[in-house]
Amino acid sequence: MSRGTALRRLAAHEGRWLMSLGWWVARRRIGVAPGEQALGYAGAQAALVYGLAFVCGVETVGLGVLLAGKAVVHEVMLFVDVYTVLTVLGLQAAAVTRPHVLGTDALWLRDGARREIRIPLERIASVHYDLRFTKERDKNGDVAELAVGGQTSVTVQLSEPVVTVRLLGQRETIRTVRFHADEARAAVAAVRARLTVPGGDGAPEAGRAPEAGRAPEAGGTPVRQG
């Protein structure tokens, strides 16, 4: 991948989390159509994010006092500190406004503004509650982890692989996806219930407008690069 492409993808990521701040304030969610079920995952990191944002805010005030007599340095550091606080809050905003989504024919798994994986329901062989921490991470190349707070709680095994694209454009072919949900057991039950619904076998998903940047990838599995 060229440096220019990587920079464009990073800039797009910055734009997504900045936009998420506005949606967060408006208490709205991105990409959840009528009839679809949102599966939240932001709760596991909330305390850490808010604590970090508080520390950054205190640092901003402290540096403002120490650099009061140095106008240029004060303004530069103020900009850096404020942007840092927004970045931390944007991490939480992206997770809150971009939940996992269980649709009529697919399960959309998200990692905030960074990544999104579409799994057609007909490719799900099994789904079960499976609490894991990142230190237990399987190093096999066909496993994708969308961890929150250093853990995943749901494992999805696929009957056919899907292709996913990481933040900087690396493509991965995966057969197992591990992700976190705040109500993990309820999420597992919801997916299992949707798998047994007649007609929920991959028919076109009504009412869902793809987000900008979401395009079909190899093997016919659309993902939104993030």
Side-chain angles (χ1 to χ4, degrees), residues 188-212:
V188 169
V191 175
R192 288 176 175 173
R194 189 59 60 92
L195 291 175
T196 63
V197 174
D201 56 355
E205 194 170 346
R208 185 181 188 91
E211 294 181 43

Side-chain angles (χ1 to χ4, degrees), residues 19-28 50 89-90 92-94 96-97:
M19 181 177 66
S20 296
L21 287 169
W23 283 73
W24 191 27
V25 172
R27 296 182 177 276
R28 299 179 63 184
Y50 296 144
L89 293 176
Q92 181 69 3
V96 171
T97 60

Side-chain angles (χ1 to χ4, degrees), residues 37-170:
Q37 182 175 352
L39 307 175
Y41 57 87
Q45 67 181 23
L48 176 62
V49 170
Y50 296 144
L52 184 57
F54 175 77
V55 171
C56 291
V58 172
E59 180 190 36
T60 300
V61 175
L63 285 177
V65 173
L66 291 175
L67 300 175
K70 302 178 180 179
V72 176
V73 177
H74 176 266
E75 291 177 3
V76 171
M77 292 306 301
L78 179 62
F79 173 82
V80 171
D81 286 340
V82 170
Y83 193 79
T84 299
V85 173
L86 289 177
T87 301
V88 173
L89 293 176
L91 175 67
Q92 181 69 3
V96 171
T97 60
R98 298 170 184 267
H100 305 310
V101 180
L102 179 58
T104 57
D105 76 330
L107 175 64
W108 300 81
L109 299 178
R110 290 152 143 186
D111 184 13
R114 293 180 293 272
R115 190 179 186 187
E116 184 171 286
I117 304 173
R118 179 184 185 272
I119 303 176
L121 294 183
E122 71 270 16
R123 297 194 187 187
I124 297 179
S126 67
V127 55
H128 59 278
Y129 176 79
D130 181 21
L131 183 62
R132 292 172 178 257
F133 295 91
T134 52
K135 65 180 181 180
E136 301 173 355
R137 182 176 179 179
D138 192 332
K139 299 300 182 180
N140 292 336
D142 61 354
V143 178
E145 282 190 335
L146 304 181
V148 180
Q151 67 182 23
T152 61
S153 53
V154 180
T155 294
V156 179
Q157 299 285 350
L158 306 181
S159 58
E160 297 180 44
V162 298
V163 175
T164 179
V165 181
R166 299 184 66 87
L167 177 60
L168 295 181
Q170 306 96 320

Side-chain angles (χ1 to χ4, degrees), residues 6-17 113 167 224-225:
L7 290 176
R8 284 194 297 272
R9 294 181 65 86
L10 288 173
H13 171 255
E14 291 284 302
R16 285 193 295 273
W17 71 253
L167 177 60
R224 183 175 68 75
Q225 300 178 1

